[in-house]
Structure formats: C-alpha cells, structure tokens
C-alpha cells in the first residue's frame, strides 16, 4: 500500500511536466522547419499578401513564410510582387506581373508567393512532409536564379 501512495504522489508531481512534451504536430512542424533551414531557406511568420483586403478569407492567415534570401538588385529594376494561388491557378496581386515559372510547379499546399529586395518565398500551412520542403527549396532556388540573372 505504501508503494502505491509513493507512486501516486510521484505521478501527481510529474503530471504538469507532460504539458512541455511537444505534440506530434509540433514535432512535425519542427522537422519541416529544420529541413528548410538546413537547405538554405529561412522561416518567418508573415501576413499573407493582401490578407487585409476586402473579401480576403480570414481562414488563410494561419500560414508561414519560407523564403530564400537574394542578393541586392543594384543597377536593375526593383523587385517586388505578390501572387495568390486560388483553386490551382495563380494570379498577381497589385501590379499585373506575369506569374514566375517556378510558381507553376509549386505543391498544392502553397497559398501565395512574394518577392521583394531581400527575398523570394512562399506562404503555406506546412501541410506536407520533408520531401515537400525539398521541392519548395528547389523551386525557390530556380526562381532566385531567374531573379538574379
């Protein structure tokens, strides 16, 4: 009986520590973000382009940005643009810029893409696996080469 009381007290003392153990979803997200960092991408929480425009769907704000850093575009036109993927087709936001070739091959989990002076990248909900991150990295590297060429 004494052993049962001791085990119960120890279990009661250790129970709050279970809140610090990462969930399956958190471990999956951490592995995706680690794979992105190892392959040369950076990960940031950013607002989806045009997310505050009238008619924008609020459900799409749970996205995260995976980006590729770019060299400055000295002596060339400034880089800036955003594209939104809706039902499998890409459309430009703001200026009517053509859709970059690399975006056409992006996985279905990608919601939007943008480019600025510092980076080009995609917004998504991290609903893929490490292979999806590798495909995104490959396409972003291809896009980055087109932008700096």
């Amino acid at each position: 009986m004494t052993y049962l009381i001791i085990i119960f007290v120890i279990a009661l003392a250790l129970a709050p520590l279970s809140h610090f153990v990462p969930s399956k979803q958190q471990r999956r997200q951490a592995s995706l973000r680690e794979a992105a960092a190892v392959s040369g991408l950076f990960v940031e929480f950013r607002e989806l382009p045009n997310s505050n425009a009238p008619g924008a769907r609020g459900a799409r704000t749970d996205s995260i940005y995976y980006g590729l850093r770019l060299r400055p575009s000295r002596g060339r036109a400034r880089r800036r643009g955003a594209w939104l993927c809706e039902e499998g087709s890409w459309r430009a936001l703001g200026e009517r810029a053509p859709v970059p070739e690399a975006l056409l091959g992006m996985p279905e989990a990608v919601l939007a893409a943008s480019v600025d002076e510092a980076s080009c990248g995609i917004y998504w909900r991290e609903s893929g696996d490490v292979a999806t991150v590798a495909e995104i990295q490959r396409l972003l590297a291809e896009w980055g080469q087109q932008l700096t060429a």
Side-chain angles (χ1 to χ4, degrees):
M1 181 68 168
T2 306
Y3 290 115
L4 287 174
I5 293 173
I6 292 172
I7 291 172
F8 176 74
V9 170
I10 290 173
L12 191 64
L14 294 177
L17 294 177
S18 67
H19 294 288
F20 297 105
V21 176
S23 68
K24 190 179 209 180
Q25 172 72 13
Q26 290 169 329
R27 285 192 303 270
R28 191 182 67 74
Q29 283 180 336
S31 71
L32 291 176
R33 293 173 187 174
E34 180 182 11
V38 167
S39 65
L41 301 178
F42 67 95
V43 179
E44 288 182 352
F45 290 100
R46 287 191 186 181
E47 286 292 322
L48 203 60
N50 210 22
S51 62
N52 54 1
R57 293 186 284 184
R60 300 186 87 178
T61 58
D62 60 341
S63 62
I64 193 159
Y65 181 80
Y66 279 38
L68 177 70
R69 297 199 193 282
L70 300 173
R71 284 185 249 135
S73 60
R74 296 184 182 138
R76 286 181 266 167
R78 292 192 57 161
R79 295 183 288 236
R80 186 159 303 281
W83 298 267
L84 192 62
C85 184
E86 291 182 323
E87 298 167 8
S89 64
W90 289 89
R91 69 176 177 88
L93 298 173
E95 293 180 20
R96 294 291 170 205
V99 177
E101 291 278 325
L103 295 184
L104 300 175
M106 285 290 175
E108 290 181 15
V110 175
L111 303 171
S114 67
V115 63
D116 57 34
E117 283 299 307
S119 69
C120 64
I122 56 98
Y123 300 79
W124 71 316
R125 288 197 184 110
E126 296 179 312
S127 59
D129 56 3
V130 175
T132 308
V133 173
E135 179 67 11
I136 289 171
Q137 189 280 332
R138 184 186 68 76
L139 291 167
L140 286 178
E142 182 181 304
W143 188 19
Q145 287 178 346
Q146 292 171 359
L147 289 169
T148 56

